[in-house]
Amino acid sequence: MRAAFLTLLLAGCASVPAATPITAPNVAASAETDPVDSTSDAADDPAIWRNAANPAASLVIGTDKQAGIHVYDLKGKRLSFTPAARLNNVDLREMAGGRVIVAASDRADKANAHVALFTLDTTARRLVPMGRYPVGAGEAYGMCLWTRAKDKALFGFVVLKDGRIDQVRIDLSTATPRVERLRSMKLASQAEGCVVDDRTGLLYVAEEDVGLWRFAADPAAPTTGTPIARVDGRTLVADAEGLALAPKGAKGGYLVVSSQGDNGYSLYRLPGVTYAGRFRIGGGAIDGTSDTDGIELALGDFGPDYPKGLFVAQDGDNAPDTQNFKYVGWGKVVEALGL
């Protein structure tokens, strides 16, 4: 399958430099977070916790890969900061009993990947560190979580900078979590963004200069990936970065990808992963985004400003301030693209 994908890629390479990205409408941001403190490339990836009892009190978590990890409210105000080693990507899952587990790829040791685990204290609105856990050799880069439907077991996928993907099981049954590596998958070049569809047990990974891949998330499944969309300079412009899901029904909805090379976001309709449109963030009172790394999307009611869902994107150039994250109402995206 990979050979077929690369054949298609190489066949189109001659036209890629001359390709023009498909026109993308601007969708205005409704809010932005306080900028991170680090002055270099720092803000990277967000995660969203929806407060079902009080949606307007939901929280956004964002990594500062130079210093630690932030918790923001829906106005973008920083509520707390937890110093940590160099955290890159972040994801979360709400477990039975309402316990919220947050996992981040920890790249402080470039030779040995780690996962950093936290509990989100939703009352104090801060992260409580649980520890750093070794995964294997290599530099940790991407990170996403999966809750298996049949038994609610929690798994993590750590994307190494060289394209290796390590699956770990996160066992929370004892006072001290256990993180065990189960298997590895491999892409040929640098990858980072990943997301797992809890409904279908499918893992999606972005190989930055090549395109998107799909794997079966179950640890007993084959490790071979299926190519599903390529970087073509029109629908998706390198680097392909963050991934997020807008689920609908048992298998439908959209996969959203940060098309970093043209400051856009591309949508693919599920389950067939067919191109469905693209947009950019801009055109409002808040400045737009550019060079986006991580993105996240959560559907549902998030209060009057985000009645149909919240989309969060890292902004790589928030001048004159340092980097931050922008908030967009998902309903505005749906309207702009006529979905």
Side-chain angles (χ1 to χ4, degrees), residues 221-267:
T223 58
T224 304
T226 300
I228 53 174
R230 69 185 181 96
V231 169
D232 61 2
R234 299 186 69 250
T235 58
L236 185 59
V237 184
D239 294 347
E241 288 282 348
L243 299 178
L245 289 166
K248 182 177 181 180
K251 296 182 179 180
Y254 299 93
L255 174 66
V256 189
V257 187
S258 170
S259 179
Q260 190 183 70
D262 75 319
N263 306 320
Y265 308 91
S266 300
L267 277 69

mmCIF file of all heavy atoms in Angstrom, residues 221-267:
data_model
loop_
_atom_site.group_PDB
_atom_site.id
_atom_site.type_symbol
_atom_site.label_atom_id
_atom_site.label_comp_id
_atom_site.label_asym_id
_atom_site.label_seq_id
_atom_site.Cartn_x
_atom_site.Cartn_y
_atom_site.Cartn_z
ATOM 1 N N ALA A 221 -3.979 -5.651 16.151
ATOM 2 C CA ALA A 221 -4.158 -5.452 14.710
ATOM 3 C C ALA A 221 -2.814 -5.387 13.986
ATOM 4 O O ALA A 221 -1.773 -5.141 14.604
ATOM 5 C CB ALA A 221 -4.951 -4.174 14.461
ATOM 6 N N PRO A 222 -2.817 -5.577 12.665
ATOM 7 C CA PRO A 222 -1.584 -5.422 11.887
ATOM 8 C C PRO A 222 -1.026 -4.004 12.022
ATOM 9 O O PRO A 222 -1.769 -3.045 12.278
ATOM 10 C CB PRO A 222 -2.033 -5.697 10.445
ATOM 11 C CG PRO A 222 -3.267 -6.525 10.581
ATOM 12 C CD PRO A 222 -3.945 -6.038 11.828
ATOM 13 N N THR A 223 0.286 -3.887 11.852
ATOM 14 C CA THR A 223 0.943 -2.583 12.006
ATOM 15 C C THR A 223 1.063 -1.824 10.688
ATOM 16 O O THR A 223 1.637 -0.740 10.653
ATOM 17 C CB THR A 223 2.347 -2.772 12.602
ATOM 18 O OG1 THR A 223 3.104 -3.633 11.745
ATOM 19 C CG2 THR A 223 2.263 -3.387 13.994
ATOM 20 N N THR A 224 0.523 -2.369 9.615
ATOM 21 C CA THR A 224 0.606 -1.730 8.303
ATOM 22 C C THR A 224 -0.407 -0.597 8.200
ATOM 23 O O THR A 224 -1.583 -0.766 8.533
ATOM 24 C CB THR A 224 0.344 -2.744 7.184
ATOM 25 O OG1 THR A 224 1.269 -3.820 7.312
ATOM 26 C CG2 THR A 224 0.503 -2.098 5.817
ATOM 27 N N GLY A 225 0.040 0.558 7.711
ATOM 28 C CA GLY A 225 -0.840 1.696 7.539
ATOM 29 C C GLY A 225 -1.419 1.770 6.145
ATOM 30 O O GLY A 225 -0.879 1.212 5.188
ATOM 31 N N THR A 226 -2.535 2.493 6.028
ATOM 32 C CA THR A 226 -3.196 2.720 4.744
ATOM 33 C C THR A 226 -3.112 4.195 4.398
ATOM 34 O O THR A 226 -3.527 5.043 5.198
ATOM 35 C CB THR A 226 -4.677 2.301 4.812
ATOM 36 O OG1 THR A 226 -4.770 0.920 5.143
ATOM 37 C CG2 THR A 226 -5.371 2.557 3.489
ATOM 38 N N PRO A 227 -2.573 4.554 3.220
ATOM 39 C CA PRO A 227 -2.542 5.965 2.827
ATOM 40 C C PRO A 227 -3.940 6.449 2.479
ATOM 41 O O PRO A 227 -4.682 5.762 1.775
ATOM 42 C CB PRO A 227 -1.627 5.969 1.600
ATOM 43 C CG PRO A 227 -1.765 4.591 1.035
ATOM 44 C CD PRO A 227 -1.969 3.676 2.200
ATOM 45 N N ILE A 228 -4.320 7.630 2.957
ATOM 46 C CA ILE A 228 -5.691 8.097 2.756
ATOM 47 C C ILE A 228 -5.778 9.477 2.100
ATOM 48 O O ILE A 228 -6.814 9.821 1.540
ATOM 49 C CB ILE A 228 -6.473 8.105 4.077
ATOM 50 C CG1 ILE A 228 -5.730 8.893 5.158
ATOM 51 C CG2 ILE A 228 -6.749 6.682 4.545
ATOM 52 C CD1 ILE A 228 -6.506 9.065 6.445
ATOM 53 N N ALA A 229 -4.744 10.281 2.168
ATOM 54 C CA ALA A 229 -4.736 11.592 1.510
ATOM 55 C C ALA A 229 -3.286 12.037 1.385
ATOM 56 O O ALA A 229 -2.475 11.764 2.275
ATOM 57 C CB ALA A 229 -5.538 12.627 2.298
ATOM 58 N N ARG A 230 -2.950 12.730 0.296
ATOM 59 C CA ARG A 230 -1.564 13.109 0.104
ATOM 60 C C ARG A 230 -1.392 14.627 0.086
ATOM 61 O O ARG A 230 -2.324 15.382 -0.227
ATOM 62 C CB ARG A 230 -1.001 12.499 -1.178
ATOM 63 C CG ARG A 230 -1.567 13.044 -2.479
ATOM 64 C CD ARG A 230 -1.024 12.269 -3.653
ATOM 65 N NE ARG A 230 -1.500 12.760 -4.935
ATOM 66 C CZ ARG A 230 -0.834 13.622 -5.706
ATOM 67 N NH1 ARG A 230 0.325 14.092 -5.300
ATOM 68 N NH2 ARG A 230 -1.325 14.015 -6.858
ATOM 69 N N VAL A 231 -0.218 15.053 0.418
ATOM 70 C CA VAL A 231 0.165 16.453 0.261
ATOM 71 C C VAL A 231 0.266 16.721 -1.235
ATOM 72 O O VAL A 231 1.120 16.140 -1.921
ATOM 73 C CB VAL A 231 1.505 16.735 0.968
ATOM 74 C CG1 VAL A 231 2.033 18.106 0.577
ATOM 75 C CG2 VAL A 231 1.360 16.619 2.474
ATOM 76 N N ASP A 232 -0.629 17.566 -1.747
ATOM 77 C CA ASP A 232 -0.674 17.806 -3.194
ATOM 78 C C ASP A 232 -0.509 19.270 -3.573
ATOM 79 O O ASP A 232 -0.553 19.630 -4.751
ATOM 80 C CB ASP A 232 -1.983 17.268 -3.771
ATOM 81 C CG ASP A 232 -3.222 17.939 -3.167
ATOM 82 O OD1 ASP A 232 -3.066 18.852 -2.325
ATOM 83 O OD2 ASP A 232 -4.345 17.546 -3.532
ATOM 84 N N GLY A 233 -0.342 20.141 -2.571
ATOM 85 C CA GLY A 233 -0.179 21.562 -2.868
ATOM 86 C C GLY A 233 -1.486 22.282 -3.145
ATOM 87 O O GLY A 233 -1.487 23.499 -3.312
ATOM 88 N N ARG A 234 -2.590 21.569 -3.192
ATOM 89 C CA ARG A 234 -3.892 22.171 -3.478
ATOM 90 C C ARG A 234 -4.848 21.990 -2.300
ATOM 91 O O ARG A 234 -5.309 22.958 -1.706
ATOM 92 C CB ARG A 234 -4.513 21.578 -4.736
ATOM 93 C CG ARG A 234 -3.666 21.793 -5.992
ATOM 94 C CD ARG A 234 -4.398 21.311 -7.242
ATOM 95 N NE ARG A 234 -5.542 22.175 -7.529
ATOM 96 C CZ ARG A 234 -6.810 21.817 -7.403
ATOM 97 N NH1 ARG A 234 -7.122 20.606 -6.960
ATOM 98 N NH2 ARG A 234 -7.780 22.669 -7.697
ATOM 99 N N THR A 235 -5.147 20.733 -1.986
ATOM 100 C CA THR A 235 -6.040 20.464 -0.867
ATOM 101 C C THR A 235 -5.286 20.411 0.452
ATOM 102 O O THR A 235 -5.844 20.703 1.510
ATOM 103 C CB THR A 235 -6.789 19.134 -1.074
ATOM 104 O OG1 THR A 235 -5.821 18.085 -1.229
ATOM 105 C CG2 THR A 235 -7.657 19.195 -2.314
ATOM 106 N N LEU A 236 -4.004 20.030 0.385
ATOM 107 C CA LEU A 236 -3.179 19.902 1.588
ATOM 108 C C LEU A 236 -1.758 20.312 1.237
ATOM 109 O O LEU A 236 -1.163 19.763 0.296
ATOM 110 C CB LEU A 236 -3.218 18.466 2.101
ATOM 111 C CG LEU A 236 -2.514 18.158 3.421
ATOM 112 C CD1 LEU A 236 -3.095 18.995 4.561
ATOM 113 C CD2 LEU A 236 -2.638 16.668 3.762
ATOM 114 N N VAL A 237 -1.230 21.288 1.987
ATOM 115 C CA VAL A 237 0.073 21.884 1.676
ATOM 116 C C VAL A 237 1.035 21.583 2.821
ATOM 117 O O VAL A 237 0.740 21.845 3.989
ATOM 118 C CB VAL A 237 -0.050 23.404 1.470
ATOM 119 C CG1 VAL A 237 1.291 24.003 1.061
ATOM 120 C CG2 VAL A 237 -1.115 23.719 0.411
ATOM 121 N N ALA A 238 2.190 21.018 2.497
ATOM 122 C CA ALA A 238 3.190 20.682 3.520
ATOM 123 C C ALA A 238 3.601 21.922 4.310
ATOM 124 O O ALA A 238 3.733 22.992 3.740
ATOM 125 C CB ALA A 238 4.410 20.055 2.861
ATOM 126 N N ASP A 239 3.727 21.756 5.623
ATOM 127 C CA ASP A 239 3.642 20.515 6.356
ATOM 128 C C ASP A 239 2.198 20.198 6.736
ATOM 129 O O ASP A 239 1.445 21.090 7.107
ATOM 130 C CB ASP A 239 4.466 20.597 7.631
ATOM 131 C CG ASP A 239 5.964 20.726 7.406
ATOM 132 O OD1 ASP A 239 6.424 20.508 6.278
ATOM 133 O OD2 ASP A 239 6.672 21.084 8.363
ATOM 134 N N ALA A 240 1.859 18.886 6.664
ATOM 135 C CA ALA A 240 0.618 18.430 7.281
ATOM 136 C C ALA A 240 0.908 18.272 8.766
ATOM 137 O O ALA A 240 1.800 17.530 9.149
ATOM 138 C CB ALA A 240 0.180 17.116 6.660
ATOM 139 N N GLU A 241 0.157 18.962 9.598
ATOM 140 C CA GLU A 241 0.496 19.024 11.031
ATOM 141 C C GLU A 241 -0.607 18.426 11.901
ATOM 142 O O GLU A 241 -0.839 17.239 11.868
ATOM 143 C CB GLU A 241 0.807 20.473 11.412
ATOM 144 C CG GLU A 241 2.139 20.979 10.859
ATOM 145 C CD GLU A 241 3.344 20.481 11.646
ATOM 146 O OE1 GLU A 241 3.158 19.932 12.747
ATOM 147 O OE2 GLU A 241 4.473 20.646 11.154
ATOM 148 N N GLY A 242 -1.288 19.266 12.691
ATOM 149 C CA GLY A 242 -2.247 18.759 13.661
ATOM 150 C C GLY A 242 -3.470 18.118 13.032
ATOM 151 O O GLY A 242 -3.870 18.466 11.913
ATOM 152 N N LEU A 243 -4.073 17.171 13.759
ATOM 153 C CA LEU A 243 -5.280 16.484 13.321
ATOM 154 C C LEU A 243 -6.353 16.584 14.401
ATOM 155 O O LEU A 243 -6.049 16.582 15.589
ATOM 156 C CB LEU A 243 -4.995 14.999 13.063
ATOM 157 C CG LEU A 243 -3.973 14.643 11.985
ATOM 158 C CD1 LEU A 243 -3.808 13.134 11.913
ATOM 159 C CD2 LEU A 243 -4.392 15.179 10.640
ATOM 160 N N ALA A 244 -7.615 16.648 13.961
ATOM 161 C CA ALA A 244 -8.745 16.677 14.883
ATOM 162 C C ALA A 244 -9.936 16.037 14.200
ATOM 163 O O ALA A 244 -9.975 15.898 12.976
ATOM 164 C CB ALA A 244 -9.071 18.115 15.304
ATOM 165 N N LEU A 245 -10.946 15.660 15.000
ATOM 166 C CA LEU A 245 -12.119 14.968 14.486
ATOM 167 C C LEU A 245 -13.399 15.720 14.830
ATOM 168 O O LEU A 245 -13.538 16.263 15.923
ATOM 169 C CB LEU A 245 -12.213 13.559 15.073
ATOM 170 C CG LEU A 245 -11.186 12.537 14.586
ATOM 171 C CD1 LEU A 245 -11.201 11.315 15.497
ATOM 172 C CD2 LEU A 245 -11.467 12.138 13.147
ATOM 173 N N ALA A 246 -14.336 15.705 13.870
ATOM 174 C CA ALA A 246 -15.703 16.168 14.098
ATOM 175 C C ALA A 246 -16.616 14.980 13.828
ATOM 176 O O ALA A 246 -17.105 14.795 12.714
ATOM 177 C CB ALA A 246 -16.041 17.330 13.173
ATOM 178 N N PRO A 247 -16.837 14.108 14.816
ATOM 179 C CA PRO A 247 -17.605 12.887 14.576
ATOM 180 C C PRO A 247 -19.097 13.149 14.397
ATOM 181 O O PRO A 247 -19.660 14.072 14.981
ATOM 182 C CB PRO A 247 -17.337 12.060 15.833
ATOM 183 C CG PRO A 247 -17.027 13.068 16.890
ATOM 184 C CD PRO A 247 -16.336 14.194 16.200
ATOM 185 N N LYS A 248 -19.723 12.301 13.556
ATOM 186 C CA LYS A 248 -21.170 12.375 13.357
ATOM 187 C C LYS A 248 -21.692 10.961 13.137
ATOM 188 O O LYS A 248 -21.232 10.264 12.217
ATOM 189 C CB LYS A 248 -21.503 13.248 12.144
ATOM 190 C CG LYS A 248 -22.997 13.413 11.911
ATOM 191 C CD LYS A 248 -23.275 14.336 10.745
ATOM 192 C CE LYS A 248 -24.775 14.526 10.532
ATOM 193 N NZ LYS A 248 -25.060 15.435 9.383
ATOM 194 N N GLY A 249 -22.609 10.530 13.983
ATOM 195 C CA GLY A 249 -23.149 9.197 13.852
ATOM 196 C C GLY A 249 -22.128 8.132 14.203
ATOM 197 O O GLY A 249 -21.158 8.373 14.916
ATOM 198 N N ALA A 250 -22.328 6.927 13.650
ATOM 199 C CA ALA A 250 -21.475 5.797 13.993
ATOM 200 C C ALA A 250 -20.113 5.873 13.339
ATOM 201 O O ALA A 250 -19.106 5.432 13.917
ATOM 202 C CB ALA A 250 -22.164 4.496 13.600
ATOM 203 N N LYS A 251 -20.028 6.438 12.129
ATOM 204 C CA LYS A 251 -18.761 6.458 11.404
ATOM 205 C C LYS A 251 -18.490 7.764 10.663
ATOM 206 O O LYS A 251 -17.396 7.969 10.160
ATOM 207 C CB LYS A 251 -18.716 5.317 10.374
ATOM 208 C CG LYS A 251 -18.752 3.921 10.956
ATOM 209 C CD LYS A 251 -18.662 2.872 9.849
ATOM 210 C CE LYS A 251 -18.676 1.455 10.411
ATOM 211 N NZ LYS A 251 -18.595 0.437 9.313
ATOM 212 N N GLY A 252 -19.482 8.634 10.580
ATOM 213 C CA GLY A 252 -19.366 9.826 9.745
ATOM 214 C C GLY A 252 -18.721 11.000 10.441
ATOM 215 O O GLY A 252 -18.192 10.901 11.549
ATOM 216 N N GLY A 253 -18.780 12.150 9.763
ATOM 217 C CA GLY A 253 -18.176 13.371 10.278
ATOM 218 C C GLY A 253 -17.015 13.807 9.427
ATOM 219 O O GLY A 253 -16.984 13.556 8.209
ATOM 220 N N TYR A 254 -16.020 14.453 10.063
ATOM 221 C CA TYR A 254 -14.898 15.027 9.326
ATOM 222 C C TYR A 254 -13.591 14.838 10.089
ATOM 223 O O TYR A 254 -13.554 14.880 11.322
ATOM 224 C CB TYR A 254 -15.121 16.530 9.091
ATOM 225 C CG TYR A 254 -16.363 16.821 8.279
ATOM 226 C CD1 TYR A 254 -17.579 17.076 8.917
ATOM 227 C CD2 TYR A 254 -16.328 16.800 6.885
ATOM 228 C CE1 TYR A 254 -18.729 17.308 8.185
ATOM 229 C CE2 TYR A 254 -17.481 17.032 6.147
ATOM 230 C CZ TYR A 254 -18.674 17.282 6.795
ATOM 231 O OH TYR A 254 -19.818 17.502 6.061
ATOM 232 N N LEU A 255 -12.533 14.639 9.317
ATOM 233 C CA LEU A 255 -11.164 14.704 9.816
ATOM 234 C C LEU A 255 -10.616 16.058 9.400
ATOM 235 O O LEU A 255 -10.687 16.427 8.218
ATOM 236 C CB LEU A 255 -10.331 13.574 9.206
ATOM 237 C CG LEU A 255 -8.831 13.575 9.505
ATOM 238 C CD1 LEU A 255 -8.560 13.318 10.988
ATOM 239 C CD2 LEU A 255 -8.121 12.514 8.651
ATOM 240 N N VAL A 256 -10.081 16.810 10.354
ATOM 241 C CA VAL A 256 -9.562 18.158 10.091
ATOM 242 C C VAL A 256 -8.043 18.133 10.227
ATOM 243 O O VAL A 256 -7.508 17.532 11.171
ATOM 244 C CB VAL A 256 -10.163 19.188 11.070
ATOM 245 C CG1 VAL A 256 -9.783 20.609 10.654
ATOM 246 C CG2 VAL A 256 -11.684 19.041 11.145
ATOM 247 N N VAL A 257 -7.352 18.784 9.290
ATOM 248 C CA VAL A 257 -5.892 18.758 9.241
ATOM 249 C C VAL A 257 -5.352 20.175 9.134
ATOM 250 O O VAL A 257 -5.867 20.983 8.352
ATOM 251 C CB VAL A 257 -5.388 17.937 8.038
ATOM 252 C CG1 VAL A 257 -3.874 17.778 8.098
ATOM 253 C CG2 VAL A 257 -6.077 16.598 7.949
ATOM 254 N N SER A 258 -4.299 20.475 9.884
ATOM 255 C CA SER A 258 -3.601 21.744 9.729
ATOM 256 C C SER A 258 -2.728 21.679 8.488
ATOM 257 O O SER A 258 -1.766 20.922 8.427
ATOM 258 C CB SER A 258 -2.739 22.043 10.959
ATOM 259 O OG SER A 258 -1.886 23.147 10.711
ATOM 260 N N SER A 259 -3.088 22.481 7.480
ATOM 261 C CA SER A 259 -2.325 22.604 6.237
ATOM 262 C C SER A 259 -1.351 23.768 6.426
ATOM 263 O O SER A 259 -1.572 24.885 5.970
ATOM 264 C CB SER A 259 -3.287 22.852 5.060
ATOM 265 O OG SER A 259 -2.610 23.001 3.838
ATOM 266 N N GLN A 260 -0.252 23.468 7.124
ATOM 267 C CA GLN A 260 0.610 24.539 7.623
ATOM 268 C C GLN A 260 1.218 25.394 6.514
ATOM 269 O O GLN A 260 1.424 26.589 6.678
ATOM 270 C CB GLN A 260 1.719 23.940 8.492
ATOM 271 C CG GLN A 260 2.522 24.965 9.266
ATOM 272 C CD GLN A 260 3.657 24.343 10.051
ATOM 273 O OE1 GLN A 260 4.630 23.882 9.482
ATOM 274 N NE2 GLN A 260 3.520 24.305 11.367
ATOM 275 N N GLY A 261 1.499 24.785 5.384
ATOM 276 C CA GLY A 261 2.208 25.491 4.322
ATOM 277 C C GLY A 261 1.466 26.660 3.726
ATOM 278 O O GLY A 261 2.090 27.559 3.137
ATOM 279 N N ASP A 262 0.131 26.680 3.852
ATOM 280 C CA ASP A 262 -0.623 27.832 3.334
ATOM 281 C C ASP A 262 -1.540 28.414 4.403
ATOM 282 O O ASP A 262 -2.511 29.097 4.080
ATOM 283 C CB ASP A 262 -1.409 27.449 2.080
ATOM 284 C CG ASP A 262 -2.641 26.615 2.384
ATOM 285 O OD1 ASP A 262 -2.553 25.719 3.247
ATOM 286 O OD2 ASP A 262 -3.697 26.860 1.774
ATOM 287 N N ASN A 263 -1.230 28.124 5.673
ATOM 288 C CA ASN A 263 -1.979 28.689 6.803
ATOM 289 C C ASN A 263 -3.460 28.337 6.739
ATOM 290 O O ASN A 263 -4.321 29.145 7.087
ATOM 291 C CB ASN A 263 -1.809 30.218 6.854
ATOM 292 C CG ASN A 263 -0.361 30.629 6.861
ATOM 293 O OD1 ASN A 263 0.471 30.002 7.507
ATOM 294 N ND2 ASN A 263 -0.028 31.682 6.122
ATOM 295 N N GLY A 264 -3.753 27.106 6.305
ATOM 296 C CA GLY A 264 -5.136 26.686 6.175
ATOM 297 C C GLY A 264 -5.445 25.447 6.983
ATOM 298 O O GLY A 264 -4.575 24.874 7.671
ATOM 299 N N TYR A 265 -6.708 25.017 6.884
ATOM 300 C CA TYR A 265 -7.194 23.820 7.563
ATOM 301 C C TYR A 265 -8.065 23.065 6.569
ATOM 302 O O TYR A 265 -9.018 23.638 6.022
ATOM 303 C CB TYR A 265 -7.981 24.188 8.829
ATOM 304 C CG TYR A 265 -7.200 25.121 9.720
ATOM 305 C CD1 TYR A 265 -7.334 26.505 9.586
ATOM 306 C CD2 TYR A 265 -6.279 24.628 10.638
ATOM 307 C CE1 TYR A 265 -6.579 27.370 10.367
ATOM 308 C CE2 TYR A 265 -5.521 25.492 11.422
ATOM 309 C CZ TYR A 265 -5.671 26.861 11.272
ATOM 310 O OH TYR A 265 -4.908 27.732 12.029
ATOM 311 N N SER A 266 -7.719 21.811 6.321
ATOM 312 C CA SER A 266 -8.419 21.011 5.325
ATOM 313 C C SER A 266 -9.319 19.989 6.007
ATOM 314 O O SER A 266 -8.958 19.426 7.045
ATOM 315 C CB SER A 266 -7.419 20.284 4.424
ATOM 316 O OG SER A 266 -6.592 21.214 3.741
ATOM 317 N N LEU A 267 -10.490 19.746 5.409
ATOM 318 C CA LEU A 267 -11.451 18.800 5.943
ATOM 319 C C LEU A 267 -11.615 17.620 4.991
ATOM 320 O O LEU A 267 -11.664 17.800 3.761
ATOM 321 C CB LEU A 267 -12.827 19.452 6.138
ATOM 322 C CG LEU A 267 -13.052 20.248 7.429
ATOM 323 C CD1 LEU A 267 -12.222 21.532 7.440
ATOM 324 C CD2 LEU A 267 -14.535 20.577 7.599
#
